[in-house]
Amino acid sequence: MKNIKIDEFKNFKFLGNLHLANDEKNLFYTVSNMNLEKNSYEHRIYKMNLETKKSFMLTNGAKESSFIELFDGNLLFVSDRENKNEKEDITKFYKICPCGGEAFLDFTVPALVNDIKQISDNEFLLLANFNRQKELEKLEKELKDKEEKPKEKLYDDSKDYLVATEIPFWNNAVGFTNEDRNRLYYFNKETMELTALTDDITDVYSLELNDDFTKAVFVSNSYTGKMPLVSDVNILDISLKTFETIAKEMSFSYANFIDNKNVIAMATDMKEYGLNENNNIYLINTENKEIQKIVNDNFDMCMNNSVGSDVRLTSGKHTFVKNGFLYFTNTEVNSAYIYKIDKNGNIEKLNEKQGSIDCFDVNSKGIVYAVALKDNNLQEIYKIENLSENRISFHNDEKYTLSEVEELRFENDGIGFIGYVMKPVDFDPNKKYPGILHVHGGPKTVFGKVFHHEMQFFANNGYFVFFTNPRGSDGRGKMFADIRGKYGEIDFDDLMKFTDKVIENYPNVDENNLAIMGGSYGGFMTNWAIGHTNRFKAACSQRSIANMTTEFLLTDIGYYFIDDQISATPWSNYEKLWYHSPVRYANKVKTPTIFIHSDEDYRCWIPEGIQMFSALKYHDVPARLVMFKGENHELSRSGKPLHRIRRIKEIFDWFENYLK
């Protein structure tokens, strides 16, 4: 049995993009791993024979992070086997036979493709990046090149400046996105025809095809100046290359054909609980455009997987239509499960075991194959049939010394909660141990009993780790998740009551040596906690929020997220924003705190950490600010491997210094 080390994730395999072959005899999926020498991740496509349950590596280019299956059974994926690193915006598609052999370049698209759907042997629908500013600059350059007499330069065109004309003008994990749009295109690989089907101000997502590949349904929104929160559902006639809108003025997250006349869609009108409003499922008649809600109001769940973990890397299918059903994942309390629903609203839960379903596919008999986190194990593939779940892959078969996650129930304000406690590995009942309160992000996410490297590392190094899902969390309905205008109040109270309960029930936790840590919303709560209590001897605040006004004005989602969640803007109620800003209470902080931020995190931008750090240093509180270059909001989950190691080392060293 191995101990969980600070860099143990270098040995983990990350699974994703699970796809059941059209003949239902094989599974295809990606396996990713870290390469510490190159400080990067490698991705490969694997194939599993469902009769023998044997898997083998299909590609070895180390860049195959996603793929689709073509009509002829071959796999199509994006890569660059020639390593030419062209500067132009192009996407190279390679084809490989699932029987094995070498992949070869099939075609190249003169655009950066984000999604691809095959509609005939040679024809495809694409979603690709388009930027109006760049296209105008190309046109200007072409006109200048045609001029006989060059004109004197009136500006520096070396591109060392950026121009913003809309909000958001940047996006976490993407970068500067001003006037970027995900545009819908038709592409013919034989003729190389590339035709734009939507205009240059329309953003498109959730592209799906009907059974005979004559129509497509897609979700979009069109805007200039400020991105709206509502979207449209559109039907494309592929042969005519024209589309019509069949639903609008709601926030649609997914739409697909469930039969020849109806589209099934996930959406919310955000009227009752704002951004906390859970999705409903609607049936849209494509002929008369009537919309009917088909889910009972008693089904008050998020219809998504919001279970937190740091041992995922790629994604995969988790919402799709097949066999006349809409399949989706749903978070309940601390776990994500699989559901299916037909067009009449008949809903069925397909598994019962706690954990996380990360992606899945279904065969014609209703048997489910899923990449999942189960039983405190790393990701593996499971076969789910008649509610039973059997592991069929063994990519992560190393045995580790793990701390079991124990449940601890408590009450606050008459509400029942479930908390979780991990004892130190090699726990000695005669010793006292420091404890770490870990707060999840979101806040509309959950912690559960799934494998979490960071937590297991601390448990392997002599710490109690405890965590819960306070009000504001997912999995218990929209009313429980609604803390609009209450940030730092009822949620903070829940966390403190839970900490009291842990100390009461686990006498080996040294209440004089406690730490608090968290990222994103957890970073906000860490900043808030150190300004409202001195019970913590150390703290680690990551990708945090310090000032609701700057978070509103400087970040990619701030203008709508803060308005909704704090119920105020700088003009409608500045004092309320300031009241809910942790930096307001920095003069009361006594807790030594380390702040960790990434310089390309536009979700909780680096000035948030700088403000709290500067405020603590001004008041002579021990503080350390660690800023990672080239990283974004996902540092702890998908940052460069060496940065992830350094991040945990910084936290560990800080806690070791102040708690031990």
Side-chain angles (χ1 to χ4, degrees), residues 349-385:
K349 188 176 183 178
L350 301 183
N351 69 315
E352 294 181 337
K353 194 172 185 179
Q354 289 187 354
S356 171
I357 301 293
D358 295 340
C359 62
F360 67 101
D361 208 342
V362 183
N363 72 8
S364 55
K365 297 179 180 179
I367 298 173
V368 175
Y369 297 94
V371 171
L373 292 165
K374 298 284 181 175
D375 300 319
N376 216 2
N377 292 321
L378 291 157
Q379 285 181 317
E380 292 293 356
I381 299 173
Y382 294 80
K383 179 181 180 182
I384 302 174
E385 185 177 14

mmCIF file of all heavy atoms in Angstrom, residues 349-385:
data_model
loop_
_atom_site.group_PDB
_atom_site.id
_atom_site.type_symbol
_atom_site.label_atom_id
_atom_site.label_comp_id
_atom_site.label_asym_id
_atom_site.label_seq_id
_atom_site.Cartn_x
_atom_site.Cartn_y
_atom_site.Cartn_z
ATOM 1 N N LYS A 349 -34.744 6.757 -12.382
ATOM 2 C CA LYS A 349 -33.365 6.789 -11.901
ATOM 3 C C LYS A 349 -32.699 5.458 -12.229
ATOM 4 O O LYS A 349 -33.264 4.397 -11.975
ATOM 5 C CB LYS A 349 -33.364 7.029 -10.383
ATOM 6 C CG LYS A 349 -32.012 7.276 -9.769
ATOM 7 C CD LYS A 349 -32.172 7.603 -8.281
ATOM 8 C CE LYS A 349 -30.846 7.926 -7.613
ATOM 9 N NZ LYS A 349 -31.040 8.276 -6.174
ATOM 10 N N LEU A 350 -31.476 5.494 -12.782
ATOM 11 C CA LEU A 350 -30.847 4.284 -13.307
ATOM 12 C C LEU A 350 -29.755 3.710 -12.412
ATOM 13 O O LEU A 350 -29.264 2.618 -12.683
ATOM 14 C CB LEU A 350 -30.268 4.567 -14.696
ATOM 15 C CG LEU A 350 -31.280 5.042 -15.746
ATOM 16 C CD1 LEU A 350 -30.593 5.216 -17.088
ATOM 17 C CD2 LEU A 350 -32.444 4.066 -15.867
ATOM 18 N N ASN A 351 -29.335 4.423 -11.391
ATOM 19 C CA ASN A 351 -28.356 3.858 -10.461
ATOM 20 C C ASN A 351 -28.578 4.438 -9.073
ATOM 21 O O ASN A 351 -29.222 5.480 -8.925
ATOM 22 C CB ASN A 351 -26.918 4.088 -10.931
ATOM 23 C CG ASN A 351 -26.513 5.544 -10.867
ATOM 24 O OD1 ASN A 351 -27.251 6.422 -11.269
ATOM 25 N ND2 ASN A 351 -25.311 5.798 -10.371
ATOM 26 N N GLU A 352 -28.059 3.754 -8.067
ATOM 27 C CA GLU A 352 -28.335 4.149 -6.686
ATOM 28 C C GLU A 352 -27.091 4.332 -5.839
ATOM 29 O O GLU A 352 -27.153 4.897 -4.749
ATOM 30 C CB GLU A 352 -29.235 3.100 -6.009
ATOM 31 C CG GLU A 352 -30.633 3.012 -6.610
ATOM 32 C CD GLU A 352 -31.496 1.983 -5.908
ATOM 33 O OE1 GLU A 352 -30.915 1.056 -5.280
ATOM 34 O OE2 GLU A 352 -32.739 2.091 -5.974
ATOM 35 N N LYS A 353 -25.950 3.865 -6.320
ATOM 36 C CA LYS A 353 -24.740 3.897 -5.511
ATOM 37 C C LYS A 353 -24.148 5.297 -5.475
ATOM 38 O O LYS A 353 -24.050 5.974 -6.500
ATOM 39 C CB LYS A 353 -23.716 2.920 -6.083
ATOM 40 C CG LYS A 353 -22.561 2.615 -5.146
ATOM 41 C CD LYS A 353 -21.707 1.494 -5.720
ATOM 42 C CE LYS A 353 -20.618 1.103 -4.749
ATOM 43 N NZ LYS A 353 -19.786 0.001 -5.276
ATOM 44 N N GLN A 354 -23.725 5.735 -4.279
ATOM 45 C CA GLN A 354 -23.132 7.058 -4.137
ATOM 46 C C GLN A 354 -21.845 7.180 -4.946
ATOM 47 O O GLN A 354 -21.156 6.198 -5.204
ATOM 48 C CB GLN A 354 -22.824 7.347 -2.667
ATOM 49 C CG GLN A 354 -24.032 7.587 -1.809
ATOM 50 C CD GLN A 354 -23.660 8.040 -0.406
ATOM 51 O OE1 GLN A 354 -22.485 8.064 -0.029
ATOM 52 N NE2 GLN A 354 -24.657 8.407 0.378
ATOM 53 N N GLY A 355 -21.529 8.415 -5.330
ATOM 54 C CA GLY A 355 -20.303 8.681 -6.079
ATOM 55 C C GLY A 355 -20.553 9.736 -7.127
ATOM 56 O O GLY A 355 -21.428 10.597 -6.980
ATOM 57 N N SER A 356 -19.807 9.663 -8.208
ATOM 58 C CA SER A 356 -19.917 10.661 -9.268
ATOM 59 C C SER A 356 -19.898 9.973 -10.626
ATOM 60 O O SER A 356 -18.971 9.219 -10.936
ATOM 61 C CB SER A 356 -18.756 11.660 -9.183
ATOM 62 O OG SER A 356 -18.739 12.505 -10.306
ATOM 63 N N ILE A 357 -20.927 10.229 -11.433
ATOM 64 C CA ILE A 357 -20.945 9.791 -12.822
ATOM 65 C C ILE A 357 -20.374 10.932 -13.655
ATOM 66 O O ILE A 357 -20.971 12.002 -13.766
ATOM 67 C CB ILE A 357 -22.372 9.454 -13.291
ATOM 68 C CG1 ILE A 357 -22.982 8.338 -12.432
ATOM 69 C CG2 ILE A 357 -22.366 9.079 -14.768
ATOM 70 C CD1 ILE A 357 -22.321 6.987 -12.590
ATOM 71 N N ASP A 358 -19.217 10.716 -14.253
ATOM 72 C CA ASP A 358 -18.527 11.796 -14.958
ATOM 73 C C ASP A 358 -18.884 11.879 -16.441
ATOM 74 O O ASP A 358 -18.900 12.964 -17.018
ATOM 75 C CB ASP A 358 -17.020 11.648 -14.786
ATOM 76 C CG ASP A 358 -16.599 11.827 -13.327
ATOM 77 O OD1 ASP A 358 -17.378 12.418 -12.557
ATOM 78 O OD2 ASP A 358 -15.500 11.367 -12.958
ATOM 79 N N CYS A 359 -19.135 10.752 -17.080
ATOM 80 C CA CYS A 359 -19.675 10.710 -18.436
ATOM 81 C C CYS A 359 -20.174 9.296 -18.675
ATOM 82 O O CYS A 359 -19.762 8.358 -17.980
ATOM 83 C CB CYS A 359 -18.647 11.137 -19.488
ATOM 84 S SG CYS A 359 -17.173 10.101 -19.602
ATOM 85 N N PHE A 360 -21.073 9.127 -19.664
ATOM 86 C CA PHE A 360 -21.635 7.792 -19.860
ATOM 87 C C PHE A 360 -22.238 7.663 -21.250
ATOM 88 O O PHE A 360 -22.414 8.643 -21.969
ATOM 89 C CB PHE A 360 -22.678 7.472 -18.784
ATOM 90 C CG PHE A 360 -23.936 8.297 -18.841
ATOM 91 C CD1 PHE A 360 -25.100 7.782 -19.400
ATOM 92 C CD2 PHE A 360 -23.976 9.589 -18.327
ATOM 93 C CE1 PHE A 360 -26.269 8.528 -19.449
ATOM 94 C CE2 PHE A 360 -25.138 10.349 -18.365
ATOM 95 C CZ PHE A 360 -26.294 9.817 -18.936
ATOM 96 N N ASP A 361 -22.570 6.427 -21.615
ATOM 97 C CA ASP A 361 -23.289 6.120 -22.844
ATOM 98 C C ASP A 361 -24.211 4.939 -22.563
ATOM 99 O O ASP A 361 -24.051 4.244 -21.537
ATOM 100 C CB ASP A 361 -22.326 5.817 -23.992
ATOM 101 C CG ASP A 361 -22.916 6.153 -25.358
ATOM 102 O OD1 ASP A 361 -24.163 6.298 -25.453
ATOM 103 O OD2 ASP A 361 -22.160 6.268 -26.336
ATOM 104 N N VAL A 362 -25.155 4.693 -23.462
ATOM 105 C CA VAL A 362 -26.195 3.688 -23.241
ATOM 106 C C VAL A 362 -26.372 2.872 -24.509
ATOM 107 O O VAL A 362 -26.354 3.430 -25.620
ATOM 108 C CB VAL A 362 -27.539 4.361 -22.871
ATOM 109 C CG1 VAL A 362 -28.605 3.319 -22.573
ATOM 110 C CG2 VAL A 362 -27.377 5.309 -21.696
ATOM 111 N N ASN A 363 -26.561 1.547 -24.373
ATOM 112 C CA ASN A 363 -26.808 0.734 -25.560
ATOM 113 C C ASN A 363 -28.302 0.591 -25.828
ATOM 114 O O ASN A 363 -29.137 1.128 -25.093
ATOM 115 C CB ASN A 363 -26.099 -0.623 -25.464
ATOM 116 C CG ASN A 363 -26.745 -1.564 -24.459
ATOM 117 O OD1 ASN A 363 -27.821 -1.301 -23.916
ATOM 118 N ND2 ASN A 363 -26.082 -2.678 -24.202
ATOM 119 N N SER A 364 -28.655 -0.136 -26.875
ATOM 120 C CA SER A 364 -30.053 -0.251 -27.294
ATOM 121 C C SER A 364 -30.904 -1.005 -26.291
ATOM 122 O O SER A 364 -32.139 -0.917 -26.325
ATOM 123 C CB SER A 364 -30.129 -0.938 -28.664
ATOM 124 O OG SER A 364 -29.462 -2.198 -28.622
ATOM 125 N N LYS A 365 -30.281 -1.773 -25.385
ATOM 126 C CA LYS A 365 -31.018 -2.506 -24.355
ATOM 127 C C LYS A 365 -31.128 -1.731 -23.044
ATOM 128 O O LYS A 365 -31.677 -2.238 -22.065
ATOM 129 C CB LYS A 365 -30.336 -3.855 -24.102
ATOM 130 C CG LYS A 365 -30.328 -4.782 -25.301
ATOM 131 C CD LYS A 365 -29.613 -6.089 -24.976
ATOM 132 C CE LYS A 365 -29.607 -7.020 -26.190
ATOM 133 N NZ LYS A 365 -28.879 -8.298 -25.902
ATOM 134 N N GLY A 366 -30.582 -0.528 -23.024
ATOM 135 C CA GLY A 366 -30.660 0.283 -21.823
ATOM 136 C C GLY A 366 -29.532 0.064 -20.839
ATOM 137 O O GLY A 366 -29.560 0.599 -19.729
ATOM 138 N N ILE A 367 -28.525 -0.722 -21.218
ATOM 139 C CA ILE A 367 -27.360 -0.936 -20.353
ATOM 140 C C ILE A 367 -26.461 0.295 -20.430
ATOM 141 O O ILE A 367 -26.172 0.804 -21.519
ATOM 142 C CB ILE A 367 -26.590 -2.195 -20.761
ATOM 143 C CG1 ILE A 367 -27.477 -3.430 -20.604
ATOM 144 C CG2 ILE A 367 -25.314 -2.354 -19.921
ATOM 145 C CD1 ILE A 367 -26.858 -4.707 -21.149
ATOM 146 N N VAL A 368 -26.024 0.769 -19.273
ATOM 147 C CA VAL A 368 -25.229 1.988 -19.189
ATOM 148 C C VAL A 368 -23.756 1.646 -18.979
ATOM 149 O O VAL A 368 -23.422 0.746 -18.196
ATOM 150 C CB VAL A 368 -25.720 2.880 -18.034
ATOM 151 C CG1 VAL A 368 -24.821 4.104 -17.872
ATOM 152 C CG2 VAL A 368 -27.168 3.307 -18.262
ATOM 153 N N TYR A 369 -22.882 2.359 -19.668
ATOM 154 C CA TYR A 369 -21.446 2.297 -19.415
ATOM 155 C C TYR A 369 -21.008 3.700 -19.005
ATOM 156 O O TYR A 369 -21.317 4.679 -19.683
ATOM 157 C CB TYR A 369 -20.691 1.833 -20.657
ATOM 158 C CG TYR A 369 -21.068 0.431 -21.084
ATOM 159 C CD1 TYR A 369 -22.059 0.222 -22.036
ATOM 160 C CD2 TYR A 369 -20.459 -0.678 -20.498
ATOM 161 C CE1 TYR A 369 -22.427 -1.059 -22.413
ATOM 162 C CE2 TYR A 369 -20.816 -1.966 -20.864
ATOM 163 C CZ TYR A 369 -21.808 -2.154 -21.819
ATOM 164 O OH TYR A 369 -22.179 -3.427 -22.175
ATOM 165 N N ALA A 370 -20.312 3.792 -17.870
ATOM 166 C CA ALA A 370 -20.017 5.111 -17.314
ATOM 167 C C ALA A 370 -18.596 5.201 -16.791
ATOM 168 O O ALA A 370 -18.070 4.240 -16.203
ATOM 169 C CB ALA A 370 -20.993 5.435 -16.176
ATOM 170 N N VAL A 371 -17.965 6.355 -17.000
ATOM 171 C CA VAL A 371 -16.753 6.719 -16.277
ATOM 172 C C VAL A 371 -17.215 7.330 -14.964
ATOM 173 O O VAL A 371 -18.002 8.272 -14.949
ATOM 174 C CB VAL A 371 -15.896 7.718 -17.066
ATOM 175 C CG1 VAL A 371 -14.753 8.241 -16.194
ATOM 176 C CG2 VAL A 371 -15.348 7.085 -18.331
ATOM 177 N N ALA A 372 -16.738 6.776 -13.853
ATOM 178 C CA ALA A 372 -17.274 7.191 -12.558
ATOM 179 C C ALA A 372 -16.207 7.160 -11.477
ATOM 180 O O ALA A 372 -15.174 6.492 -11.604
ATOM 181 C CB ALA A 372 -18.446 6.292 -12.166
ATOM 182 N N LEU A 373 -16.484 7.904 -10.405
ATOM 183 C CA LEU A 373 -15.702 7.861 -9.170
ATOM 184 C C LEU A 373 -16.556 7.139 -8.133
ATOM 185 O O LEU A 373 -17.611 7.637 -7.744
ATOM 186 C CB LEU A 373 -15.364 9.267 -8.687
ATOM 187 C CG LEU A 373 -14.398 10.079 -9.548
ATOM 188 C CD1 LEU A 373 -14.442 11.556 -9.153
ATOM 189 C CD2 LEU A 373 -12.974 9.550 -9.422
ATOM 190 N N LYS A 374 -16.107 5.961 -7.712
ATOM 191 C CA LYS A 374 -16.887 5.140 -6.788
ATOM 192 C C LYS A 374 -15.978 4.555 -5.709
ATOM 193 O O LYS A 374 -14.804 4.255 -5.961
ATOM 194 C CB LYS A 374 -17.563 3.977 -7.543
ATOM 195 C CG LYS A 374 -18.552 4.403 -8.618
ATOM 196 C CD LYS A 374 -19.868 4.867 -8.032
ATOM 197 C CE LYS A 374 -20.847 5.274 -9.101
ATOM 198 N NZ LYS A 374 -22.168 5.614 -8.582
ATOM 199 N N ASP A 375 -16.530 4.378 -4.512
ATOM 200 C CA ASP A 375 -15.863 3.648 -3.426
ATOM 201 C C ASP A 375 -14.485 4.205 -3.103
ATOM 202 O O ASP A 375 -13.541 3.461 -2.830
ATOM 203 C CB ASP A 375 -15.738 2.155 -3.779
ATOM 204 C CG ASP A 375 -17.085 1.510 -4.003
ATOM 205 O OD1 ASP A 375 -18.015 1.811 -3.235
ATOM 206 O OD2 ASP A 375 -17.210 0.723 -4.967
ATOM 207 N N ASN A 376 -14.341 5.523 -3.123
ATOM 208 C CA ASN A 376 -13.058 6.156 -2.808
ATOM 209 C C ASN A 376 -11.954 5.726 -3.778
ATOM 210 O O ASN A 376 -10.770 5.741 -3.436
ATOM 211 C CB ASN A 376 -12.632 5.863 -1.370
ATOM 212 C CG ASN A 376 -11.922 7.042 -0.728
ATOM 213 O OD1 ASN A 376 -11.763 8.100 -1.330
ATOM 214 N ND2 ASN A 376 -11.466 6.868 0.496
ATOM 215 N N ASN A 377 -12.352 5.337 -4.988
ATOM 216 C CA ASN A 377 -11.399 4.955 -6.024
ATOM 217 C C ASN A 377 -11.258 6.084 -7.045
ATOM 218 O O ASN A 377 -12.112 6.966 -7.151
ATOM 219 C CB ASN A 377 -11.863 3.699 -6.761
ATOM 220 C CG ASN A 377 -11.824 2.470 -5.873
ATOM 221 O OD1 ASN A 377 -10.910 2.304 -5.069
ATOM 222 N ND2 ASN A 377 -12.824 1.604 -6.009
ATOM 223 N N LEU A 378 -10.191 6.030 -7.825
ATOM 224 C CA LEU A 378 -10.015 6.928 -8.949
ATOM 225 C C LEU A 378 -10.961 6.535 -10.080
ATOM 226 O O LEU A 378 -11.693 5.548 -9.976
ATOM 227 C CB LEU A 378 -8.560 6.898 -9.413
ATOM 228 C CG LEU A 378 -7.560 7.513 -8.428
ATOM 229 C CD1 LEU A 378 -6.163 6.969 -8.669
ATOM 230 C CD2 LEU A 378 -7.563 9.033 -8.567
ATOM 231 N N GLN A 379 -10.949 7.304 -11.168
ATOM 232 C CA GLN A 379 -11.882 7.055 -12.262
ATOM 233 C C GLN A 379 -11.670 5.676 -12.884
ATOM 234 O O GLN A 379 -10.549 5.263 -13.163
ATOM 235 C CB GLN A 379 -11.707 8.116 -13.347
ATOM 236 C CG GLN A 379 -12.277 9.472 -12.993
ATOM 237 C CD GLN A 379 -12.097 10.462 -14.128
ATOM 238 O OE1 GLN A 379 -11.030 10.528 -14.742
ATOM 239 N NE2 GLN A 379 -13.126 11.248 -14.417
ATOM 240 N N GLU A 380 -12.782 4.989 -13.113
ATOM 241 C CA GLU A 380 -12.794 3.735 -13.854
ATOM 242 C C GLU A 380 -14.107 3.650 -14.627
ATOM 243 O O GLU A 380 -14.995 4.494 -14.468
ATOM 244 C CB GLU A 380 -12.664 2.526 -12.918
ATOM 245 C CG GLU A 380 -11.327 2.394 -12.224
ATOM 246 C CD GLU A 380 -10.153 2.075 -13.147
ATOM 247 O OE1 GLU A 380 -10.374 1.873 -14.350
ATOM 248 O OE2 GLU A 380 -9.015 2.034 -12.646
ATOM 249 N N ILE A 381 -14.222 2.625 -15.471
ATOM 250 C CA ILE A 381 -15.441 2.402 -16.245
ATOM 251 C C ILE A 381 -16.293 1.357 -15.537
ATOM 252 O O ILE A 381 -15.784 0.319 -15.084
ATOM 253 C CB ILE A 381 -15.112 1.948 -17.676
ATOM 254 C CG1 ILE A 381 -14.288 3.025 -18.394
ATOM 255 C CG2 ILE A 381 -16.390 1.656 -18.466
ATOM 256 C CD1 ILE A 381 -13.767 2.598 -19.751
ATOM 257 N N TYR A 382 -17.591 1.638 -15.444
ATOM 258 C CA TYR A 382 -18.532 0.746 -14.784
ATOM 259 C C TYR A 382 -19.665 0.390 -15.741
ATOM 260 O O TYR A 382 -20.122 1.226 -16.532
ATOM 261 C CB TYR A 382 -19.120 1.401 -13.525
ATOM 262 C CG TYR A 382 -18.092 1.622 -12.437
ATOM 263 C CD1 TYR A 382 -17.228 2.717 -12.488
ATOM 264 C CD2 TYR A 382 -17.980 0.746 -11.363
ATOM 265 C CE1 TYR A 382 -16.272 2.923 -11.499
ATOM 266 C CE2 TYR A 382 -17.031 0.940 -10.366
ATOM 267 C CZ TYR A 382 -16.181 2.028 -10.447
ATOM 268 O OH TYR A 382 -15.239 2.221 -9.464
ATOM 269 N N LYS A 383 -20.122 -0.854 -15.627
ATOM 270 C CA LYS A 383 -21.320 -1.301 -16.337
ATOM 271 C C LYS A 383 -22.485 -1.245 -15.363
ATOM 272 O O LYS A 383 -22.426 -1.823 -14.276
ATOM 273 C CB LYS A 383 -21.128 -2.728 -16.858
ATOM 274 C CG LYS A 383 -22.343 -3.288 -17.597
ATOM 275 C CD LYS A 383 -22.078 -4.716 -18.058
ATOM 276 C CE LYS A 383 -23.280 -5.302 -18.788
ATOM 277 N NZ LYS A 383 -23.033 -6.714 -19.199
ATOM 278 N N ILE A 384 -23.542 -0.508 -15.746
ATOM 279 C CA ILE A 384 -24.689 -0.317 -14.861
ATOM 280 C C ILE A 384 -25.912 -0.956 -15.509
ATOM 281 O O ILE A 384 -26.329 -0.564 -16.604
ATOM 282 C CB ILE A 384 -24.942 1.182 -14.604
ATOM 283 C CG1 ILE A 384 -23.693 1.827 -14.005
ATOM 284 C CG2 ILE A 384 -26.148 1.379 -13.688
ATOM 285 C CD1 ILE A 384 -23.786 3.338 -13.851
ATOM 286 N N GLU A 385 -26.466 -1.956 -14.814
ATOM 287 C CA GLU A 385 -27.612 -2.697 -15.343
ATOM 288 C C GLU A 385 -28.508 -3.125 -14.195
ATOM 289 O O GLU A 385 -28.040 -3.703 -13.209
ATOM 290 C CB GLU A 385 -27.126 -3.923 -16.122
ATOM 291 C CG GLU A 385 -28.204 -4.699 -16.816
ATOM 292 C CD GLU A 385 -27.648 -5.863 -17.626
ATOM 293 O OE1 GLU A 385 -26.457 -6.209 -17.430
ATOM 294 O OE2 GLU A 385 -28.396 -6.418 -18.447
#
